Amino acid sequence: PHAVLMFAKFHSDDPQFTPDAINMTVQAVEEIVKKFAVMKVKTIGSTIMLVAGIDDHRTRQEQVSGMVDAAIMIRACVFQDMNVDGLSYKIGVHCGPCFGAVIGGNGAIFDLFGDTVNTASRMCSTAGAGSIQLSAQVKSLVQPRLGDITTRCPPVAVKGKGVMEVFSLSEDIDVKQVLPEYDVCLSKNVTALDTWRALYGRIT
């Protein structure tokens, strides 16, 4: 099936960046992405792998748009608001065919495989610090709505793919204008995001 993959990586050498902080951050991300029909597949250290479009009746454009919206929200509501010194983060998004399978006997887990997964991972690993990097396929599908805030980046060499055209989403986005869901995500409820903000968010 066709799917949209996102990898979000964050890291800090701050003593506050503990396993508990990573766990709470992942839970905050999980809560945000539910609003966009995106689900977490797994975490690899402090890298989160997410997917949209699996068993999903939305159009391809709607799936990609939802994933990019989720990436914008993760950056604005979590990474840019995290009160941890020296935090670095980057996000990569790509779409295409992939397949899923349950791997293992004891402690079996669901995972996704294929070139799309590898390319999405490369979109993240080659992104600049603080960047949301999109493949050309993703950019073409969000162009009608977000074209004004995407920037062409220098082509990147991707292992196994050669040189690829990539784009980034501006860090100066007016999130409230682009995403009405922004205020909903920050509304005061007893949620994982609120708990995360109380422990690790910046004091405003």
Side-chain angles (χ1 to χ4, degrees):
H2 184 279
V4 193
L5 277 295
M6 180 205 303
F7 283 81
K9 180 179 178 61
F10 60 106
H11 177 74
S12 172
D13 292 325
D14 190 312
Q16 290 190 74
F17 192 72
T18 63
D20 283 345
I22 295 171
N23 180 46
M24 287 301 304
T25 302
V26 171
Q27 288 185 45
V29 168
E30 288 177 314
E31 184 169 278
I32 286 173
V33 301
K34 285 179 184 176
K35 303 177 189 300
F36 302 96
V38 173
M39 72 172 190
K40 185 196 77 178
V41 178
K42 63 182 178 180
T43 57
I44 310 146
S46 58
T47 298
I48 312 169
M49 175 183 175
L50 305 112
V51 65
I54 301 294
D55 192 25
D56 188 333
H57 299 294
R58 294 177 298 166
T59 66
R60 187 167 300 180
Q61 187 170 21
E62 289 171 338
Q63 293 166 358
V64 171
S65 183
M67 181 64 92
V68 172
D69 288 351
I72 293 171
M73 288 296 294
I74 291 169
R75 180 168 69 179
C77 295
V78 179
F79 293 159
Q80 289 182 337
D81 198 40
M82 194 168 186
N83 190 26
V84 172
D85 290 338
L87 180 72
S88 63
Y89 61 87
K90 49 189 177 179
I91 297 172
V93 184
H94 180 57
C95 62
C98 67
F99 66 94
V102 176
I103 304 299
N106 296 328
I109 60 168
F110 175 77
D111 207 348
L112 293 168
F113 304 89
D115 180 70
T116 298
V117 178
N118 296 334
T119 303
S121 177
R122 298 290 186 269
M123 288 298 101
C124 179
S125 64
T126 60
S131 174
I132 298 173
Q133 184 161 274
L134 313 177
S135 66
Q137 292 91 326
V138 170
K139 192 264 184 183
S140 68
L141 290 167
V142 298
Q143 172 69 26
R145 190 168 67 87
L146 300 177
D148 291 342
I149 57 174
T150 58
T151 303
R152 185 188 301 271
C153 301
V156 299
V158 177
K159 185 178 179 180
K161 300 285 290 184
V163 176
M164 291 187 66
E165 188 177 28
V166 296
F167 300 82
S168 67
L169 284 169
S170 170
E171 291 189 67
D172 300 325
I173 296 171
D174 184 341
V175 182
K176 291 185 179 181
Q177 182 176 356
V178 174
L179 298 176
E181 297 89 346
Y182 180 79
D183 285 328
V184 175
C185 280
L186 295 185
S187 62
K188 286 292 183 181
N189 298 300
V190 181
T191 62
L193 180 58
D194 288 328
T195 302
W196 175 89
R197 292 175 70 208
L199 292 171
Y200 306 107
R202 296 188 186 280
I203 299 173
T204 57

